[in-house]
Amino acid sequence: MKKLMTIAALLSMTLSFHVSAMSAAPETGYTETRYPIVLVHGFLGWDTMLGIDYWYQITEALQEGGADVYVVTVPNANTPEVRGEELIPQIEEILALTGAQRVNLIGHSHGGPTTRYVASVRPELVASVTSVSGVNKGTPIADTLIATAEDSAAFDAIFGGIVNLAAEALNLISGADYDDVNAMIAIASMTSERAVVFNQQHPGGIPDSACGEGDYEYNGVRYYSWAGADPTT
């Protein structure tokens, strides 16, 4: 019995070593894509601020694997439509610089519906949309905050003022320099009710049922999504 346990332990150590070695040295070209990758931040997001990188190590990891990566900024607090309209000229500039025909959009959180909006209104610019923990069907947090704000003018004024102040501060410190920042409008756009309306207008990638899967390709754009179930730092 003791001998079998020893053999099992050695096998476990050997397997662990091989897994670690493989993950530590990815093949060159592993992340190489046909079109440039564009990273789009979420609510109250930024690019780099006071040495803090929003896409911590992700940009570098993609580049080291062979990807051509661009990080953009959009208004950190507004609707997906407003954010998307600010994103479009940046995509056009990237295409002009690279000579590429399309881009692969990766949107985090509120960047999910933002990138889906762009793919909906300007599909010729977009090869794929990847939503990372996207608020594509709204979020209960936004539902609660907006319901509370509607019931209490004091809460609306105080909470809205605080979040707007934070948005403006992040906007200023990060050098994004956007005038169209409105935190409560942004939060309202993330309610379940508003998400239903948005998804009717821009249905790309959205499943019909709660646990279903949407179209893998819609209007010439490929759609992907993923999220973690156990966040940590």
Side-chain angles (χ1 to χ4, degrees), residues 40-45 73-87 108-115 117 135 142 146 163-164 166-168 170-171 177-191 194 198:
V40 184
H41 64 75
F43 177 60
L44 299 182
T73 57
V74 293
N76 63 21
N78 213 307
T79 65
E81 293 90 342
V82 169
R83 287 160 53 89
E85 287 297 327
E86 294 283 3
L87 175 57
H108 171 243
S109 187
H110 210 200
T114 299
T115 52
Y117 169 81
V135 286
I146 293 301
V163 182
N164 258 333
E168 292 284 2
L170 291 169
N171 187 42
D177 194 28
Y178 285 107
D179 296 326
D180 44 358
V181 171
N182 190 310
M184 293 308 287
I185 285 179
I187 294 171
S189 75
M190 290 185 273
T191 61
R194 176 56 194 160
F198 180 85

Side-chain angles (χ1 to χ4, degrees), residues 58-118:
I58 294 173
T59 308
E60 293 81 1
L62 289 171
Q63 290 172 332
E64 288 172 4
D68 188 12
V69 186
Y70 294 84
V71 178
V72 298
T73 57
V74 293
N76 63 21
N78 213 307
T79 65
E81 293 90 342
V82 169
R83 287 160 53 89
E85 287 297 327
E86 294 283 3
L87 175 57
I88 289 171
Q90 296 180 72
I91 294 173
E92 292 174 329
E93 184 177 357
I94 291 168
L95 295 180
L97 288 170
T98 61
Q101 295 177 318
R102 296 183 171 193
V103 296
N104 296 301
L105 296 175
I106 299 179
H108 171 243
S109 187
H110 210 200
T114 299
T115 52
R116 287 179 44 238
Y117 169 81
V118 173

Side-chain angles (χ1 to χ4, degrees), residues 13 20 208 218:
M13 290 171 63
S20 299
D208 294 328
Y218 182 85

Side-chain angles (χ1 to χ4, degrees), residues 213-224:
E213 293 188 1
D215 294 327
Y216 293 172
E217 185 172 340
Y218 182 85
N219 207 13
V221 180
R222 295 178 182 273
Y223 285 86
Y224 306 89

Side-chain angles (χ1 to χ4, degrees), residues 124-190:
E124 76 278 7
L125 300 178
V126 184
S128 71
V129 168
T130 300
S131 177
V132 182
S133 297
V135 286
N136 295 300
K137 290 194 171 184
T139 168
I141 296 175
D143 293 341
T144 301
L145 290 173
I146 293 301
T148 305
E150 289 175 348
D151 290 339
S152 171
F155 177 85
D156 187 17
I158 295 172
F159 177 77
I162 291 173
V163 182
N164 258 333
L165 184 63
E168 292 284 2
L170 291 169
N171 187 42
L172 178 66
I173 296 170
S174 66
D177 194 28
Y178 285 107
D179 296 326
D180 44 358
V181 171
N182 190 310
M184 293 308 287
I185 285 179
I187 294 171
S189 75
M190 290 185 273

